[in-house]
Amino acid sequence: MAISDYPFIEAWRQVLTLSRLEAGQTVTILTSASTHPQTLSCATIAAQSMGAIVNRLDLPPVNGEKALSRDALAYLGTTPLTGNHAAIAALKASDLVLDLMTLLFSPEQHEILQTGTKILLAVEPPEVLMRMVPNQQDKTRVTTAAARIQAAREMRVRSAAGTDLRCPLGEFPAISEYGFVDEPGRWDHWPSGFALTWPNEGGASGRIVIDRGDILLPQKCYVDDPIALTVENGYAVRIEGGLSADLLSDYMASFDDPEAYAISHIGWGLQPRARWSTLGLYDREATIGMDARAFEGNFLFSLGPNNEAGGSRTTACHIDIPLRRCTVSLDGRDMVVDGKVLD
Ligand SMILES: O=c1ccc(O)c[nH]1
């Protein structure tokens, strides 16, 4: 259902307040061809109402001819900022960037964050943003989980479907995604609500079963028949199953990049206002599927890049795969049991 401007402006004011926006600071709103017009207008009004100096930087889209999907996360690494020194300079000079186009997993994003600029990604449709306006409770739950991940040396994931995956930890930081940017140099994503990290390079091993009803992103589909991944030395070395496995294999093969099969981030969902079933109610291109990434109790793992964590793998192929009904433990202590979060 549509959202009225006034409550959406108020929601943006809440998120900007949580992000510690102050009068006189500079906000640059980054847009491109797929930016939602109501999100742009309401974010602009909210920032102006708080006394910020507001710019809009509109960048021409790129990669359309390379990607097999129009989803903003389907082809990573290069963005309209790549080589665009003038645009990067403007964003580095800003206190806060509202990314309404998707810079995630780009080298330029890190370059900008290192100057202390904060970046908040917000590309879901207004009704999804309004359903999951972040709050301090989200932050507390997610940062508590992230601290446990940070302190752990192994994440183990099992399921009745047959998943048994061991991931040594410690090489990469734990990341909290809770929907607002309250520290200099922080990136976050509204909506979100999950904690994640990356396995030590080359360390993940075991078996992952993507069961019937689990989700593939950017395919934005519920898997019909189980897909079995064999994971050795940090890579998915075999993808086995029926039609769903063939479709995933064909899509990944189109990138012709062995790095696409690396285990990328791993973690679990903590957003009670996100639902597993939502994906089936939206047109594929209307959303990037944040309900699927954030629903409480999922085990979210991904394939592909690790540059977000400070690694050097920048493959363009990124698959996010939230699983239901998994048991996730850290150093033998259960965090999630059969898809239920133990707080
Ligand atoms: O918010 C996000 C979105 C995609 C992703 O892979 C990680 N975090």
Side-chain angles (χ1 to χ4, degrees), residues 73 104-105 177 187 189 194 196 265 290 293 318 320:
L73 288 166
L104 192 53
F105 289 98
E177 286 198 34
W187 171 87
H189 188 173
F194 46 90
L196 51 90
H265 55 77
M290 289 309 290
R293 288 186 181 88
H318 182 52
D320 279 319

Side-chain angles (χ1 to χ4, degrees), residues 4 9 22 95 124 139 168 237 242 277 281 295 297 310 331:
S4 298
I9 292 166
E22 295 168 9
D95 297 291
E124 286 289 60
K139 174 180 178 180
V237 296
S277 56
L281 301 164
F295 73 84
D331 296 341

Side-chain angles (χ1 to χ4, degrees), residues 13 21 43 67 104 130 200 234 308 315:
R13 285 168 54 86
L21 177 63
L104 192 53
M130 287 291 285
N200 293 349
E308 277 304 303
T315 177

Side-chain angles (χ1 to χ4, degrees), residues 16-343:
L16 294 174
T17 301
L18 287 167
S19 299
R20 298 181 179 165
L21 177 63
E22 295 168 9
Q25 289 187 325
T26 300
V27 173
T28 298
I29 303 178
L30 195 51
T31 62
S32 188
S34 57
T35 294
H36 195 291
Q38 188 184 24
T39 300
L40 171 58
S41 63
C42 292
T44 302
I45 294 164
Q48 288 173 322
S49 76
M50 294 172 68
I53 299 162
V54 183
N55 301 307
R56 175 186 175 180
L57 178 58
D58 189 61
L59 297 174
V62 296
N63 298 331
E65 74 288 356
K66 298 176 192 159
L68 296 184
S69 155
R70 288 152 56 102
D71 184 293
L73 288 166
Y75 192 93
L76 301 176
T78 55
T79 72
L81 279 185
T82 305
N84 188 338
H85 304 299
I88 291 172
L91 299 180
K92 284 182 175 178
S94 303
D95 297 291
L96 171 63
V97 172
L98 301 181
D99 176 5
L100 308 189
M101 54 152 272
T102 306
L103 289 176
L104 192 53
F105 289 98
S106 69
E108 294 79 19
Q109 174 158 294
H110 290 276
E111 189 186 334
I112 292 160
L113 291 170
Q114 278 164 359
T115 66
T117 298
K118 301 182 286 186
I119 301 179
L120 180 67
L121 174 62
V123 293
E124 286 289 60
E127 63 273 23
V128 175
L129 291 172
M130 287 291 285
R131 177 162 43 89
M132 291 187 268
V133 178
N135 53 48
Q136 288 291 356
Q137 291 74 19
D138 289 342
K139 174 180 178 180
T140 302
R141 279 191 90 194
V142 171
T143 52
T144 300
R148 289 171 177 163
I149 294 173
Q150 191 69 56
R153 287 295 161 263
E154 182 188 72
M155 182 183 294
R156 187 172 181 193
V157 187
R158 284 164 289 175
S159 73
T163 293
D164 191 349
L165 179 73
R166 288 180 183 273
C167 297
L169 305 177
E171 185 175 343
F172 298 108
I175 306 278
S176 297
E177 286 198 34
Y178 50 77
F180 53 95
V181 285
D182 51 348
E183 302 293 342
R186 178 173 174 75
W187 171 87
D188 211 310
H189 188 173
W190 170 29
S192 58
F194 46 90
L196 51 90
T197 189
W198 275 254
N200 293 349
E201 194 56 29
S205 65
R207 177 179 169 81
I208 302 172
V209 176
I210 306 167
D211 202 7
R212 178 175 169 80
D214 291 338
I215 290 171
L216 300 178
L217 301 170
Q219 288 75 4
K220 297 194 200 93
C221 66
Y222 297 99
V223 163
D224 286 321
D225 45 350
I227 302 171
L229 302 186
T230 302
V231 180
E232 293 172 358
N233 304 314
Y235 287 76
V237 296
R238 270 192 305 284
I239 300 176
E240 298 164 293
L243 176 60
S244 297
D246 289 352
L247 284 165
L248 176 61
S249 299
D250 181 75
Y251 174 81
M252 294 185 71
S254 74
F255 290 83
D256 191 24
D257 182 353
E259 294 306 307
Y261 299 87
I263 300 296
S264 180
H265 55 77
I266 52 176
W268 63 92
L270 289 161
Q271 180 50 265
R273 291 168 287 165
R275 304 295 301 183
W276 164 74
S277 56
T278 303
L279 191 71
L281 301 164
Y282 275 81
D283 295 341
R284 272 205 177 93
E285 296 194 356
T287 165
I288 62 168
M290 289 309 290
D291 275 273
R293 288 186 181 88
F295 73 84
E296 182 161 339
N298 77 22
F299 169 61
L300 173 66
F301 83 98
S302 58
L303 299 172
N306 69 357
N307 60 314
E308 277 304 303
S312 57
R313 189 170 41 254
T314 57
T315 177
C317 177
H318 182 52
I319 314 282
D320 279 319
I321 308 176
L323 307 181
R324 294 187 296 164
R325 301 168 183 160
C326 288
T327 293
V328 183
S329 60
L330 295 174
D331 296 341
R333 182 179 167 200
D334 288 345
M335 298 288 119
V336 181
V337 175
D338 197 23
K340 296 280 178 286
V341 175
L342 301 183
D343 261 336

